Amino acid sequence: SLPLFFTGFETSAMVFGYVFSRIYGVNLSLYYWTVLFVMMVINVLWYITIKKITKRSIMAFSASLLFGVNYFGIYDMVSTHCYCFFLERIIPVVFLVPSFLFLHLFLEKKDKKFFIISSLFYFVGIGVAHFTVLFTPLYLFYPIFYFFFKEKTIREKARGIIYGLSYLLQSVFFILIQQINESGLGNKKWTFAEFLFDPEKYLYFKKIALQFVYWSQYPVILKEYGVSLQNIIDVRRAELLIPYILTAYLIAALIIYVRVPKQRPMLFTTILGTTVIFYLNAYFNQYDMLNFSGASRYLYFPSFLLTIFWSYFLWAVFLQKKNLLAIAGIGLVVVYYFINSLLIGENFRHELRWNKSTRAVFDYIIATRHTLAKNTLIIAPYPEFGSQESTFFTEQLGRGEVRYMSKHNPDDVDTW
């Protein structure tokens, strides 16, 4: 209903939500198959992109595997937490990863048609879901560092800044036009300048460091194994680990810098880009990193960069030669895979404790629709059936004749 297209940050969610609901209706499993398919497509695109950058299949496979199973970065996207996370954040990545691939091809081959294609993909990827501006640092810093390390003259090195800023300006454009109909992406409690120049008040250095700890809290033995794995370590213990985790990143970065010199542009991009994304997470203030240490949708975009970083480390230390170190490196990847599979699987089992009763309620609602007379009101039990389910089934099954309502729906209490 917005007068201008692309001005709303929910464009992707509304468009694809509309399309999927018209195609799938109440066949709920088809929605989840779509989520799985799209995320697998992204993993394949990420593999292709990293292979083009590194020219090494093993590095590309490591990066795509580390990303594809990372519990802390992707769990919110595949869980039942909120349908909107997938529609808002994941689908646009299908445009953004090819954008980055064509950006690299432009930098490598100096063919401007690749830059135009990259910019078009980026425009669509950011435009359909303004949440994706969190991904901007990857596109801003990569051309800057690529020209810095690959070119010889100062004039040529400076060209990278121009190309990097072109992506930043697109992101700023969408943040500005969003304010035509909605708020911007800032926070009402502070301005950008207030937040930036008062780190002691807003604690963003601490928040950035904590996010590094949360994403890197492997293995899981950092906390006793419990029923719920949402919080692997508590915040107090995470604070104590900050100097150790940051030291590990520093040592790993030095090793990559020395042993994989051709990838220095991407190395610096991952370090600075991840830091800036973590800063933006703190600035937007939707991710309470001072009190929550589990998987978060705000760790999804940083996971792309961090998995590149650690795949480079695996190559630098373990995988360059076919020897015992290579076997050890493969072993680390296997252990990482199984740890994350365990985390995802156990959390699924924990969250789906309502699955049996929810299926029973949904199946009954669907099976009995044809028996209901016009102007019937169906009240379903909570928590299996909430306000979102009320809207969904009223639209999909009710079609103006039958209304579905949750037993626990504060917005509808006065209408009973």
Side-chain angles (χ1 to χ4, degrees), residues 57-59 61-63 65-66 69 310-311 313-340:
S57 297
I58 187 65
M59 293 175 74
F61 179 77
S62 298
L65 179 69
L66 295 180
V69 302
W310 288 111
S311 67
F313 176 78
L314 287 170
W315 174 256
V317 177
F318 298 101
L319 302 177
Q320 289 197 41
K321 296 181 180 180
K322 297 179 180 180
N323 53 23
L324 290 177
L325 278 176
I327 297 174
I330 294 172
L332 283 174
V333 174
V334 171
V335 170
Y336 172 92
Y337 172 82
F338 280 108
I339 286 177
N340 282 276

Side-chain angles (χ1 to χ4, degrees), residues 38-81:
V38 172
M39 296 190 75
M40 291 300 294
V41 168
I42 292 171
N43 293 340
V44 173
L45 289 173
W46 196 233
Y47 169 85
I48 295 171
T49 300
I50 302 306
K51 185 177 180 181
K52 286 290 185 182
I53 294 172
T54 63
K55 308 297 188 291
R56 302 283 181 177
S57 297
I58 187 65
M59 293 175 74
F61 179 77
S62 298
S64 58
L65 179 69
L66 295 180
F67 172 77
V69 302
N70 181 268
Y71 165 74
F72 298 104
I74 72 166
Y75 184 71
D76 260 2
M77 306 309 174
V78 299
S79 73
T80 56
H81 190 169

Side-chain angles (χ1 to χ4, degrees), residues 211-256:
Q211 290 174 83
F212 273 107
V213 174
Y214 296 154
W215 193 92
S216 312
Q217 49 186 303
Y218 296 106
V220 188
I221 57 173
L222 291 176
K223 181 181 178 181
E224 293 181 4
Y225 199 90
V227 176
S228 174
L229 301 174
Q230 273 294 333
N231 294 297
I232 308 304
I233 58 175
D234 58 44
V235 177
R236 183 177 300 177
R237 185 175 299 184
E239 290 182 19
L240 296 176
L241 288 173
I242 286 175
Y244 302 102
I245 294 294
L246 294 184
T247 300
Y249 271 91
L250 177 60
I251 294 173
L254 290 173
I255 292 173
I256 296 169

Side-chain angles (χ1 to χ4, degrees), residues 74-268:
I74 72 166
Y75 184 71
D76 260 2
M77 306 309 174
V78 299
S79 73
T80 56
H81 190 169
C82 181
Y83 70 93
C84 55
F85 297 164
F86 170 75
L87 293 175
E88 292 169 349
R89 292 167 170 81
I90 306 302
I91 292 178
V93 175
V94 176
F95 301 102
L96 290 174
V97 173
S99 170
F100 188 66
L101 171 61
F102 283 107
L103 170 60
H104 172 75
L105 291 176
F106 161 68
L107 296 173
E108 185 178 58
K109 301 179 183 299
K110 301 296 187 292
D111 189 336
K112 289 191 176 181
K113 73 179 179 183
F114 292 126
F115 177 71
I116 295 172
I117 297 172
S118 173
S119 297
L120 290 174
F121 271 113
Y122 188 82
F123 186 88
V124 175
I126 298 295
V128 298
H130 302 174
F131 294 98
T132 49
V133 297
L134 290 168
F135 215 6
T136 303
L138 176 63
Y139 303 83
L140 168 64
F141 293 127
Y142 187 58
I144 292 175
F145 287 120
Y146 192 95
F147 275 87
F148 179 82
F149 283 103
K150 301 292 185 179
E151 302 296 339
K152 295 181 179 179
T153 66
I154 296 178
R155 183 177 179 180
E156 286 297 312
K157 291 177 185 293
R159 288 176 58 205
I161 299 175
I162 298 173
Y163 291 115
L165 287 177
S166 70
Y167 293 93
L168 176 62
L169 290 175
Q170 288 188 64
S171 295
V172 171
F173 168 75
F174 284 113
I175 293 174
L176 292 176
I177 67 169
Q178 180 180 308
Q179 299 178 51
I180 295 174
N181 302 295
E182 302 166 344
S183 64
L185 288 177
N187 192 286
K188 294 181 181 179
K189 296 180 180 180
W190 49 69
T191 66
F192 189 85
E194 288 173 344
F195 189 83
L196 177 63
F197 293 111
D198 200 346
E200 293 185 2
K201 179 179 179 180
Y202 298 111
L203 300 174
Y204 61 76
F205 285 122
K206 179 181 178 180
K207 292 177 179 179
I208 291 170
L210 282 173
Q211 290 174 83
F212 273 107
V213 174
Y214 296 154
W215 193 92
S216 312
Q217 49 186 303
Y218 296 106
V220 188
I221 57 173
L222 291 176
K223 181 181 178 181
E224 293 181 4
Y225 199 90
V227 176
S228 174
L229 301 174
Q230 273 294 333
N231 294 297
I232 308 304
I233 58 175
D234 58 44
V235 177
R236 183 177 300 177
R237 185 175 299 184
E239 290 182 19
L240 296 176
L241 288 173
I242 286 175
Y244 302 102
I245 294 294
L246 294 184
T247 300
Y249 271 91
L250 177 60
I251 294 173
L254 290 173
I255 292 173
I256 296 169
Y257 183 86
V258 173
R259 303 202 62 180
V260 195
K262 292 183 179 180
Q263 300 304 323
R264 286 173 183 173
M266 182 58 78
L267 169 63
F268 281 84

